[in-house]
Amino acid sequence: MRGIIEIKMTYSTSFIWLLLIVPAAAGLACLVLPSPKAALRTMLVGILAAAAAGCAVVATAARDGRLFAASGWLFVDGLSAFHLAVMLIVVSLSTGYAWIYFGEELRSGRLALKQARQFSGLWCGTMSAMSLVLVSNNLGIMWVGIEATTLLTAFLICVHVTRESLEAMWKYILICSVGVAFAFMGTLLAAASAQGVGIEPSEILLWTNLRSHALSLNPMLVKASFIFLLVGYGTKAGLAPMHNWLPDAHSQAPAPVSALFSGFMLSAALYCVMRFVPIAEAATGDAGWALNLLAGFGLLSIGVAASFILFQKNVKRFLAYSSMEHLGIIALGIGLGGFGTFAALFHTLNHSLGKTVSFFSAGRLGQMSGSHEMARLSGSVKRSPLWGLGLFSGILALIGAAPFALFMSEFQVLKAAMDRGSVWMTVLYLTGLAVVFIGALGHAISLAWGKPETELDPVKANGLERLLVLVPLCALLLLGLWMPGSLHALLNDAAEIVGSAVTKAPDAGRP
């Protein structure tokens, strides 16, 4: 029986390696292929193959609780399995969309072989790097994964080289590199806090070890570590006031890249912060200290985003500030603790679905009209009923209109704030949501049915385009009315990991 179990675990953990290796290999292949179509086709096949391996990892982790590989340096638990599932959804949808988006550019002569190779190779590499973040038990490797996403996605911003895209790329590199440097200092301080607690030096950065020995860690070093990590990874997540790179990068990047940024990459950075929350809460002995910091950054992000959303004239910059608002809601939910953690994780999934369909629609409409300025995109339903209604519905979902699922997760965060008895948090949260709702709804109505500056010929959509719009929107409607039991269980497992209190050292870092 033991041998059967070991064979089963070996078979299951092999999918973790496939998840990391397949997209990286596909990305390298894309760099040398002889034609743009071949590069895009290889990208599509590589991503879908990796997604299949990822689905096996998620299913196994959901069933067995934990998966370990590489002598415990790689692992998947409920929290990483949930985020991995969200990533697979976003990357798969965005890859299908990229096939359409760049296929159109290829037909119109706006995509050269060098650009197709660059995009395809970096796109596959980005999936591999994000997967590494999610399956890393070693916090140093997790940091490497985040740094790799910065370097890889920076060049995705300027697939089409312009003065504005180069400026956005350098701003992204400079600000996020400084942020990731802060996160590196926080990681070193986390290792320093574990000196003398009986952990082997080679395993001192394993998350399972730090969590198991959290009560024995140096509390002052843990507090310093968490501050550095929150600022560092919060910069990559686009939390205020470290958000300055976000609207420029989103507005200049191709639409598939913007969808990936907002749909998951920001959440991947916030995932790294979630990993440290239970350690910081247990080690400091100051209940709610780390949670209050996170809630404060969340409320600030909601407020800053709300003030900017009112005055946006570019639809992609508008959606970028919307991402900042929703990451703030997620941070606030985690900071509230308890039921708020469950709500925040549910909101992570909902925001990813809503933001991908919104960027898909904005990108295709901008591609048709040659601009992402809202004035040029007014009356988009007449131009393209599918993408126009997709953008309108996506914005409705993002501002929390019922019965979309974001209404439910935002309401759950509100309930968590009220259960905590924090009047000022509740008031600030509701005020931010109200300002965003009013401002964004005005933009949405104008984009859908406003008077266009120029009359444009209608464009028909194909079957894949319809799927890319309808699948996320139908999922948001379904989740707003009913939650599958398997999703509820996965969300509960993930929330327990973030919010659990450590009272003893139950396990080691190795399987």
Side-chain angles (χ1 to χ4, degrees), residues 265-429:
M265 197 181 71
L266 304 182
S267 299
L270 201 55
Y271 161 86
C272 298
V273 178
M274 293 183 203
R275 278 289 175 198
F276 283 90
V277 167
I279 297 172
E281 284 290 296
T284 59
D286 188 358
W289 176 82
L291 297 179
N292 288 333
L293 274 179
L294 199 51
F297 274 98
L299 284 171
L300 179 61
S301 299
I302 295 170
V304 172
S307 62
F308 278 97
I309 280 174
L310 292 172
F311 307 105
Q312 292 308 305
K313 298 183 182 301
N314 182 293
V315 67
K316 292 183 72 179
R317 290 183 72 89
F318 158 69
L319 291 173
Y321 282 112
S322 171
S323 296
M324 181 180 164
E325 177 220 359
H326 286 285
L327 268 293
I329 292 173
I330 296 167
L332 173 61
I334 298 166
L336 290 170
F339 182 60
T341 305
F342 179 95
L345 292 170
F346 185 34
H347 196 78
T348 300
L349 171 61
N350 297 336
H351 170 250
S352 294
L353 291 170
K355 197 51 62 69
T356 51
V357 71
S358 298
F359 267 115
F360 291 172
S361 302
R364 282 293 283 136
L365 291 169
Q367 199 175 40
M368 295 171 190
S369 63
S371 172
H372 292 104
E373 294 298 314
M374 293 187 186
R376 291 284 302 275
L377 299 179
S378 292
S380 57
V381 171
K382 291 180 66 177
R383 168 62 167 161
S384 174
L386 176 71
W387 296 111
L389 289 173
L391 180 58
F392 180 73
S393 301
I395 294 174
L396 282 185
L398 291 170
I399 62 178
F404 288 108
L406 283 101
F407 169 80
M408 292 303 301
S409 53
E410 288 179 356
F411 181 79
Q412 290 170 349
V413 173
L414 174 62
K415 182 181 183 301
M418 296 177 70
D419 288 346
R420 180 169 169 170
S422 179
V423 176
W424 68 273
M425 278 191 180
T426 303
V427 171
L428 290 176
Y429 174 61

Side-chain angles (χ1 to χ4, degrees), residues 187-249:
T187 304
L188 293 181
L189 288 170
S193 72
Q195 296 295 325
V197 301
I199 304 176
E200 291 291 330
S202 62
E203 298 183 347
I204 205 166
L205 279 177
L206 296 187
W207 179 84
T208 44
N209 279 336
L210 290 174
R211 182 176 176 273
S212 299
H213 295 81
L215 295 176
S216 304
L217 302 180
N218 185 310
M220 293 305 297
L221 288 178
V222 170
K223 283 190 174 182
S225 170
F226 187 78
I227 291 171
F228 273 97
L229 290 164
L230 179 55
V231 172
Y233 288 129
T235 300
K236 189 66 183 286
L239 295 177
M242 302 88 66
H243 66 283
N244 291 332
W245 66 269
L246 193 147
D248 289 338

Side-chain angles (χ1 to χ4, degrees), residues 395-483:
I395 294 174
L396 282 185
L398 291 170
I399 62 178
F404 288 108
L406 283 101
F407 169 80
M408 292 303 301
S409 53
E410 288 179 356
F411 181 79
Q412 290 170 349
V413 173
L414 174 62
K415 182 181 183 301
M418 296 177 70
D419 288 346
R420 180 169 169 170
S422 179
V423 176
W424 68 273
M425 278 191 180
T426 303
V427 171
L428 290 176
Y429 174 61
L430 285 175
T431 302
L433 292 186
V435 172
V436 170
F437 187 93
I438 295 169
L441 186 59
H443 293 319
I445 293 172
S446 176
L447 283 166
W449 291 287
K451 184 177 180 181
E453 284 188 347
T454 57
E455 292 294 333
L456 300 171
D457 296 330
V459 174
K460 292 184 178 180
N462 60 36
L464 179 57
E465 289 177 306
R466 294 189 184 94
L467 284 176
L468 291 172
V469 172
L470 294 177
V471 168
L473 290 177
C474 290
L476 286 171
L477 283 171
L478 178 64
L479 291 174
L481 300 171
W482 170 74
M483 180 181 290

